[in-house]
Amino acid sequence: MRKIIIGGGAAGLMAAYAAASGGHEVLLLEKNEKLGKKIYITGKGRCNLTNDCPPDEFLQNVVRGGKFLTGAIYRFPPAETMRFFEEHGLALKVERGSRVFPVSDHASDVTKTLERACRASGVSFRLNTAVTEIAAEGGRVQGVRTETEFLPADNVVLATGGLSYPSTGSTGDGYRFAAALGHTLTPCTPSLVGIEAEGVSAAQGISVKNCVLTAKRGGKLLFSEQGELLFTHYGVSGPLILTLSALLSRDTPQQTVCTLDFKPALDEKKLGERLLRDFSERANEQMKNVMRGLLPAQLAMLVLRAAGIRAEKQANAVTQEERMRLIAALKAFPLKLKKLRGFEEAVITSGGVDLKEVDPKTMQSKIVRGLFFAGEVLDADAFTGGFNLQIAFSTGYLAGKGVE
Ligand SMILES: Cc1cc2nc3c(=O)[nH]c(=O)nc-3n(C[C@H](O)[C@H](O)[C@H](O)COP(=O)(O)OP(=O)(O)OC[C@H]3O[C@@H](n4cnc5c(N)ncnc54)[C@H](O)[C@@H]3O)c2cc1C
């Protein structure tokens, strides 16, 4: 009997391919007018489709659901994803941090390759078709309802994605379908997203290429990494902040004590010597100008404020105590976090279908026979670097191979 895949994103397309190449009759339903609308915007339009690393390293980059995903990542690891795309005609390249992209730098080529592989295996597609309900009876899937008809199927793969970037079609429909069938949902929160912060909007637009972000909770170290950070109109974003957001997405950011080291290459002694040199060379200049050798102007103003030094103060009037405070503000600038930005801007949704109710070997529901899950609809997520699409591919592949 026919197998239905709901959702034509990364997970649904891979599930459709895996099921059809196993000899099943497969129909994929997608509510948008085209497939892979979200894939199109991934990796800034270039699609970082996986990370070229072994499974054990991969799993270290999974934030939630690592144990559940272990089998899927070993069975369909990044190397298999790369082989799949290359065998279906998409040349790949590996960039910094083992991030994998199509050589063409076009995310649309990733969707086209998935579609081509599906069609070659006999998958049928229906676009502009929104599923409204999954029908089940006696603990078994019977089919799906769309706005206009009932489509019978003995197996259904639910691959409707999460809640982030709802304009791409991820509007949380799958959570509602799963809950209606008795599945438990872990509350959804935005993840891999910018964080609102107090008093830094004056520095908006400034990107700091090389700083260390440290986060502590109750005195315990939560996170400390060197990298890039971007100041925005609402607070902070950029790679370091996205990673931190994944750790805070189910927490209260306000209780996290965050500091920024703007000069990680200089210890306090060396930084002190550097300041003394600058101050003596530019003794009659105002601090806001002297600081420009160290930081972009708007950021320098924030640092001076944190150190309690007037921007107009002359360098030769800065006291030793003020210099110490300036060193502290440069090495441990206090970043007061308020809250994570919303789903509209989040790369990923944290939360979703409770993994305890899903068989990790097949992605089949333990509650409703014939119902399978794949991709972001599951309560699993990872850091940036190609890991989230790989989760979609691995779970999609297992679900497609799991259909009976
Ligand atoms: C801006 C941005 C950049 C990203 N960049 C990367 C990256 O470079 N690398 C990476 O690994 N990850 C990246 N991600 C994350 C990645 O895109 C997701 O993890 C991945 O797309 C999830 O795939 P999915 O198939 O589970 O869900 P989706 O891609 O969201 O697909 C779900 C599909 O289901 C359809 N659908 C929903 N409801 C229904 C319904 N009722 N009936 C029919 N169809 C329905 C939707 O229209 C959609 O097409 C990025 C995310 C964003 C937002």
Side-chain angles (χ1 to χ4, degrees), residues 6-12 29-32 38 41-43 47-48 129-131 159-162 165 168-170 173 177 346-348 374-376 386-390 392:
I6 313 176
L29 307 174
E30 166 56 53
K31 73 173 168 186
N32 287 328
K38 185 171 273 176
I41 58 164
T42 57
C47 187
N48 173 201
T129 305
V131 170
T160 44
Y165 273 70
T168 62
S170 324
D173 299 5
F177 303 156
V347 168
I348 201 94
E376 207 173 319
F387 302 104
N388 286 299
L389 278 169
Q390 180 62 48

Side-chain angles (χ1 to χ4, degrees), residues 222-281:
L222 196 65
F223 176 82
S224 186
E225 254 180 46
Q226 188 160 350
E228 191 177 342
L229 182 132
L230 176 71
F231 287 92
T232 67
H233 64 284
Y234 58 76
V236 278
S237 187
L240 281 177
I241 292 296
L242 295 196
T243 305
L244 178 64
S245 77
L247 302 174
L248 299 183
S249 67
R250 294 184 193 176
D251 254 313
T252 36
Q254 304 96 308
Q255 285 164 15
T256 308
V257 178
C258 270
T259 54
L260 288 170
D261 180 352
F262 290 120
K263 293 289 157 197
L266 300 177
D267 61 20
E268 294 188 1
K269 186 165 170 283
K270 286 215 178 77
L271 182 60
E273 288 163 5
R274 160 84 194 264
L275 288 179
L276 275 178
R277 209 169 53 237
D278 286 0
F279 290 4
S280 74
E281 280 170 9

Side-chain angles (χ1 to χ4, degrees), residues 180-197:
L181 292 172
H183 273 275
T184 312
L185 300 180
T186 307
C188 292
T189 53
S191 188
L192 300 181
V193 69
I195 305 180
E196 294 179 14

